[in-house]
Amino acid sequence: MSILKIDGVSKRYANHTALDHVSFDIPQGCIFGLLGPNGAGKTSLIRIITQITGADTGEIYFKGERLRPDHIKDMGYLPEERGLYKKMKVGEQLLYLAQLKGLTKDEARQRIKAWVNRFEIRDWLDKNIEDLSKGMQQKVQFIATVLHEPSLIILDEPFSGFDPINANLIKDEILRLRDNGATIIFSTHRMESVEELCDNIALINRSRKVLDGPVREIKNAYKTDTYQIIGNGKLMVLSPDFEVLEQHENHGVFRAAIRLLNNTSPNDLLRYLLDKVEIHSFVELVPSINDIFIRKVKEPQHA
Amino acid sequence: MHKIWLIVQREYLTRVRKKSFIIMTFLTPLLLAAFMVIPAWLATVSDSADVVMVLDESGKFANKLENKKDLQFMTLHGDLENAKEVYRQTDNTALLYIPPLDIENPEGIKVYSKKNTSLQTKIRLENMLEKEIENQRFVASGIDRALLDKMKAEVSVTTVKLSGKEEEDNNAFVTSGAGIIGAVIIYFFIFLYGVQIMRGVIEEKTNRIVEVMISSVKPFQLMMGKIIGIAGVGLTQFLLWVILSSIVVTGVQAAFGIDAAPTPIEQIEAGRAEATGEEVVQEQNDTAMLADVSNAIANLNFPLLIGCFLFYFLGGYLLYGSLFGAIGAAVDNETDTQQFMFPITIPLIISFIMSYTVVLKNPDGPVAFWMSVIPFTSPIVMMVRVPFGVPASELLLSMALLVAGFIFTTWIASRIYRVGILMYGKKINYKELSKWLFYRV
């Protein structure tokens, strides 16, 4: 079941098209990567989902219903440009933002308490935002985003500005939220950073959707039956079933990339090599999302 | 509505808790008290010692210049150079030199002083000398001074307004005063708190919180919440000023036993009255005038005045406040606001100046009528006109137009606002702004 269905959404600004008939589904309970280079239209799409702006044409369905203003209570949005009221205390700020999302004061207080305990930031509650470091502010903002326990959490470039330790902390929180049933949309131009996290992705380039689906399926579809082999000995491949794409040798240790041809299996390749060299490592070369994206963008445009 | 209320609360509370707000609120009544106390205190200090040395070569004024509490005379003899020398060695205020004098043509009287002689002292001396010369002329021509005093007449004209059912005593001074006070308050309120709205919006933009906010609330709610919240701050401050000032003023009066600092003009008048020996008459005049004023104040239509004040106060603030909010949304920082502030402040300043110059002189003329009907100038101009009596139809027209104007500016402002708050790093001009009005967002 999809929590969000984007159906033919277009958005045009005065002198450029931000989104051009973009359609895809976001399954419930997954971590969804909205990927694409800067200026591809990711933020425009997010702003339409969060109802900051409206689409020119097309529809968006949230949990099967056409997007309504009260749906925003069930969404949490962390914009790329972070910001909080500088002169407000952390506790008050969280309380305020939570109340705007429809929580009662008591509910909000309880949840704030739980979150500050989890992040060990209880001492910050009475500090002004401007007195916190940038990383601390980001943590506060992350809490503000998820405090009302939305079923859809949208994070625009979530790891920018975090040091590795805090980035991992946030990663763990994101996985925990997913396990508790939330759906998370990641938007980023740094594709490698979310590859390991995302269950599904959509690639956007120049206001058009290029590709979408489960990460595993996409990778399978784009695999080239290429294997990397490392071992000892003199590697000589003279079979028409295998193509050597790359080969290096160093002090008797070789490293080679070999592609299977004519529907041969990896076992055939192994069997072929076993007699000739000593094999230390045999790994399938799976294309990264980044590679797939670049390949996809370089392909001639069909439409 | 619930969300607007939350925003109103935040805008209100964060501002009211600011140190600057608290300091301003308590300092202003104290400054007011200082303005009352210091001149009065200074007056008591300097009143002690005004000594004028007199060299009377005419011999006509010997013992005629009476010593007063704060002005004393010391007679010198000898020639002028000698007298000057004596004066120089003292701390006395001045040296009055009266040459041999023809009563019909008194010329050549001089006052020498080390510092500049105060206007007040000069006028008092002139009056005293004039009176003495008059007296001597009366004696010379055989007129009885007492008889002459009896023949003098004092007339005070009472203005009466012939409108409606009753004739009312009416005092032009009080009527214009009441209107001007209201207009001044509205003028400053719009400026002070309109700019606060603008700053608040710019702050949200530069803090980048705005995107978080409008993923929770509508831009219109955010704007209105801010405008209403800041109105609350202004009203609170205004109310506290009124209360604290009256406490401070009563306190000061009790402690120092003064009514208010006498103005220089009053002092001069007092000096003149003293010198001409008309204290009694003057005092009677004063009480008559006071009675007249309080009568006129009592005759002001207070429910109407206060009602109009509140209406134009809020109407004017809302009309301009939303425009200030729109400016804040259109720019990235405060230095860019100038070009947009200009067209907003112009009608305010013009209506303020016109109120003083044209409207007060002719509160029923065409200028007054039009300016009190056009929404951009009516909050100030109508406030000035109301105490003079405005036909109900004109008042209703003006109010209806103000409400319409407010709805119109809020519409424009919210259109600019919703586009502007998400726009960064773009220099905005009027053409661009007018496009925003019809953007689909």
Side-chain angles (χ1 to χ4, degrees):
Chain A
M1 148 129 192
S2 64
I3 189 168
L4 201 68
K5 183 178 173 63
I6 293 157
D7 187 12
V9 167
S10 294
K11 175 80 182 170
R12 199 173 303 276
Y13 289 112
N15 31 24
H16 81 285
T17 305
L19 292 167
D20 187 4
H21 294 93
V22 172
S23 304
F24 56 85
D25 285 9
I26 298 179
Q28 176 122 37
C30 76
I31 298 182
F32 189 93
L34 185 60
L35 310 177
N38 284 328
K42 301 186 299 287
T43 302
S44 293
L45 182 59
I46 289 173
R47 284 185 176 173
I48 292 170
I49 298 170
T50 51
Q51 302 181 56
I52 290 172
T53 58
D56 293 345
T57 57
E59 282 295 341
I60 289 183
Y61 300 90
F62 181 70
K63 293 182 172 170
E65 296 169 343
R66 272 173 76 160
L67 209 55
R68 283 198 317 264
D70 62 315
H71 281 149
I72 50 177
K73 275 187 191 169
D74 208 9
M75 297 183 190
Y77 173 38
L78 179 73
E80 181 176 2
E81 298 283 1
R82 313 293 151 73
L84 295 163
Y85 287 110
K86 289 207 161 61
K87 306 251 179 228
M88 240 177 143
K89 295 203 165 79
V90 172
E92 285 172 4
Q93 183 125 247
L94 288 173
L95 191 63
Y96 175 56
L97 293 173
Q99 280 181 286
L100 284 180
K101 285 289 190 186
L103 290 191
T104 66
K105 231 176 186 169
D106 291 336
E107 273 177 309
R109 282 221 180 90
Q110 272 174 6
R111 293 191 195 173
I112 291 168
K113 219 169 142 190
W115 274 100
V116 295
N117 284 339
R118 193 200 310 286
F119 278 12
E120 293 169 355
I121 56 171
R122 217 164 317 145
D123 310 342
W124 300 359
L125 281 182
D126 279 332
K127 279 191 186 166
N128 275 344
I129 294 288
E130 59 184 352
D131 298 331
L132 301 184
S133 75
K134 217 168 174 192
M136 289 166 159
Q137 292 183 23
Q138 297 244 40
K139 273 192 191 173
V140 174
Q141 187 137 31
F142 181 79
I143 296 175
T145 310
V146 298
L147 201 58
H148 56 293
E149 295 180 358
S151 48
L152 181 64
I153 300 167
I154 302 169
L155 309 171
D156 202 349
E157 302 287 356
F159 299 121
S160 67
F162 275 116
D163 59 51
I165 295 170
N166 282 322
N168 276 332
L169 185 75
I170 297 295
K171 245 181 225 177
D172 292 344
E173 284 307 323
I174 289 168
L175 290 172
R176 201 180 60 83
L177 289 166
R178 195 257 323 255
D179 295 341
N180 289 348
T183 308
I184 291 122
I185 300 179
F186 260 136
S187 162
T188 182
H189 65 276
R190 291 171 54 233
M191 297 172 203
E192 70 287 352
S193 70
V194 290
E195 206 168 311
E196 66 213 84
L197 273 174
C198 292
D199 308 312
N200 291 52
I201 56 163
L203 288 177
I204 296 184
N205 186 45
R206 294 192 186 172
S207 71
R208 285 166 193 238
K209 182 194 79 181
V210 176
L211 184 71
D212 74 302
V215 173
R216 206 175 312 121
E217 280 176 27
I218 290 176
K219 285 198 167 185
N220 278 338
Y222 281 83
K223 32 182 212 196
T224 51
D225 283 339
T226 308
Y227 291 81
Q228 187 192 53
I229 301 129
I230 300 172
N232 265 342
K234 261 246 165 315
L235 182 72
M236 296 276 281
V237 178
L238 297 165
S239 159
D241 293 339
F242 312 116
E243 183 194 356
V244 178
L245 301 175
E246 242 184 283
Q247 190 173 348
H248 305 283
E249 215 186 304
N250 196 3
H251 299 294
V253 178
F254 71 88
R255 176 192 296 261
I258 298 175
R259 180 192 247 164
L260 308 179
L261 302 171
N262 308 327
N263 279 328
T264 46
S265 77
N267 283 11
D268 294 334
L269 176 61
L270 257 178
R271 220 169 281 131
Y272 175 80
L273 291 174
L274 272 176
D275 304 334
K276 303 180 173 64
V277 288
E278 178 187 321
I279 293 170
H280 294 167
S281 146
F282 188 88
V283 185
E284 181 173 17
L285 281 178
V286 183
S288 69
I289 297 291
N290 212 14
D291 298 335
I292 295 172
F293 176 77
I294 288 166
R295 267 181 59 187
K296 197 67 195 169
V297 169
K298 278 184 183 160
E299 271 174 20
Q301 307 249 328
H302 301 298
Chain B
M1 264 335 269
H2 175 66
K3 284 181 180 176
I4 292 192
W5 176 235
L6 281 172
I7 297 166
V8 170
Q9 275 181 315
R10 191 203 86 87
E11 297 293 338
Y12 180 81
L13 288 176
T14 48
R15 282 186 173 73
V16 168
R17 275 193 251 147
K18 266 191 198 159
K19 279 196 200 83
S20 56
F21 176 85
I22 296 168
I23 291 171
M24 275 293 281
T25 305
F26 288 94
L27 206 60
T28 309
L30 286 179
L31 280 176
L32 186 77
F35 271 120
M36 284 175 56
V37 172
I38 291 171
W41 177 70
L42 284 178
T44 54
V45 169
S46 63
D47 271 358
S48 52
D50 258 3
V51 178
V52 175
M53 304 179 103
V54 183
L55 177 63
D56 179 13
E57 290 186 352
S58 70
K60 290 195 166 74
F61 296 91
N63 300 324
K64 297 287 185 188
L65 296 170
E66 251 177 83
N67 281 339
K68 305 274 178 184
K69 192 179 74 190
D70 53 346
L71 185 64
Q72 294 182 347
F73 296 98
M74 185 192 273
T75 314
L76 294 180
H77 300 283
D79 66 358
L80 181 59
E81 287 313 312
N82 189 21
K84 278 185 192 166
E85 199 50 47
V86 174
Y87 167 67
R88 257 192 212 105
Q89 281 158 17
T90 63
D91 280 338
N92 294 337
T93 314
L95 169 65
L96 174 65
Y97 168 65
I98 306 167
L101 204 60
D102 176 9
I103 267 264
E104 295 308 319
N105 190 17
E107 270 176 350
I109 299 177
K110 283 196 176 99
V111 171
Y112 298 96
S113 65
K114 285 180 275 196
K115 292 172 288 185
N116 282 332
T117 325
S118 78
L119 180 64
Q120 195 192 349
T121 313
K122 180 177 179 271
I123 289 173
R124 285 180 83 176
L125 288 175
E126 275 175 1
N127 283 332
M128 288 169 115
L129 293 170
E130 269 169 20
K131 191 189 156 205
E132 188 47 39
I133 292 172
E134 268 175 24
N135 271 344
Q136 295 192 15
R137 283 187 191 164
F138 286 140
V139 171
S141 52
I143 295 171
D144 185 1
R145 174 88 209 196
L147 185 68
L148 185 80
D149 283 348
K150 234 187 244 168
M151 288 162 69
K152 274 196 174 171
E154 275 291 333
V155 178
S156 142
V157 174
T158 312
T159 51
V160 177
K161 193 170 66 183
L162 268 179
S163 74
K165 323 130 238 171
E166 283 173 54
E167 295 183 1
E168 293 167 349
D169 273 2
N170 161 346
N171 180 311
F173 177 72
V174 172
T175 323
S176 23
I180 283 287
I181 289 172
V184 167
I185 294 173
I186 291 175
Y187 176 79
F188 280 107
F189 189 85
I190 290 175
F191 255 116
L192 281 176
Y193 291 95
V195 170
Q196 286 227 15
I197 296 174
M198 190 181 77
R199 288 223 183 96
V201 176
I202 294 175
E203 189 202 347
E204 275 172 358
K205 250 187 108 168
T206 46
N207 279 356
R208 309 270 175 168
I209 180 122
V210 84
E211 206 171 339
V212 176
M213 291 300 295
I214 58 169
S215 66
S216 306
V217 300
K218 295 228 167 58
F220 183 75
Q221 293 174 319
L222 187 58
M223 188 179 88
M224 281 319 287
K226 190 175 283 294
I227 292 175
I228 296 169
I230 291 175
V233 177
L235 285 173
T236 308
Q237 187 156 56
F238 182 63
L239 210 69
L240 281 174
W241 276 346
V242 170
I243 294 169
L244 288 174
S245 300
S246 38
I247 291 173
V248 167
V249 168
T250 351
V252 165
Q253 282 177 350
F256 289 81
I258 41 172
D259 288 340
T263 65
I265 292 178
E266 276 169 354
Q267 285 174 346
I268 290 167
E269 297 250 327
R272 197 189 288 275
E274 221 170 59
T276 46
E278 286 166 1
E279 289 105 310
V280 187
V281 180
Q282 183 71 31
E283 220 162 80
Q284 281 168 350
N285 271 355
D286 280 351
T287 33
M289 203 178 96
L290 262 178
D292 201 17
V293 166
S294 52
N295 213 7
I297 290 177
N299 272 333
L300 286 175
N301 187 347
F302 272 103
L304 176 76
L305 264 185
I306 293 173
C308 281
F309 174 74
L310 286 177
F311 182 86
Y312 284 102
F313 184 82
L314 281 176
Y317 168 79
L318 290 174
L319 180 106
Y320 279 101
S322 50
L323 290 177
F324 275 108
I327 296 177
V331 299
D332 280 348
N333 54 59
E334 220 175 316
T335 47
D336 292 342
T337 58
Q338 292 305 327
Q339 56 160 332
F340 298 116
M341 286 280 279
F342 188 67
I344 291 189
T345 49
I346 285 300
L348 271 178
I349 292 170
I350 286 181
S351 49
F352 195 62
I353 294 171
M354 293 299 260
S355 298
Y356 264 112
T357 51
V358 180
V359 180
L360 270 186
K361 274 188 204 130
N362 188 3
D364 294 318
V367 175
F369 169 75
W370 284 109
M371 289 189 77
S372 63
V373 162
I374 296 168
F376 287 92
T377 53
S378 68
I380 289 168
V381 175
M382 191 50 109
M383 221 29 241
V384 174
R385 283 188 65 197
V386 164
F388 291 98
V390 177
S393 58
E394 278 182 33
L395 200 56
L396 284 178
L397 175 67
S398 160
M399 286 180 160
L401 283 177
L402 184 59
V403 171
F406 155 58
I407 292 170
F408 176 67
T409 58
T410 312
W411 178 81
I412 288 189
S414 66
R415 295 244 136 194
I416 293 174
Y417 187 85
R418 74 204 166 123
V419 180
I421 44 176
L422 290 173
M423 195 82 79
Y424 290 99
K426 205 171 171 186
K427 280 268 181 247
I428 306 300
N429 52 35
Y430 284 107
K431 202 178 148 206
E432 185 74 30
L433 275 189
S434 59
K435 272 194 212 155
W436 290 5
L437 295 184
F438 304 103
Y439 265 6
R440 263 197 69 195
V441 169

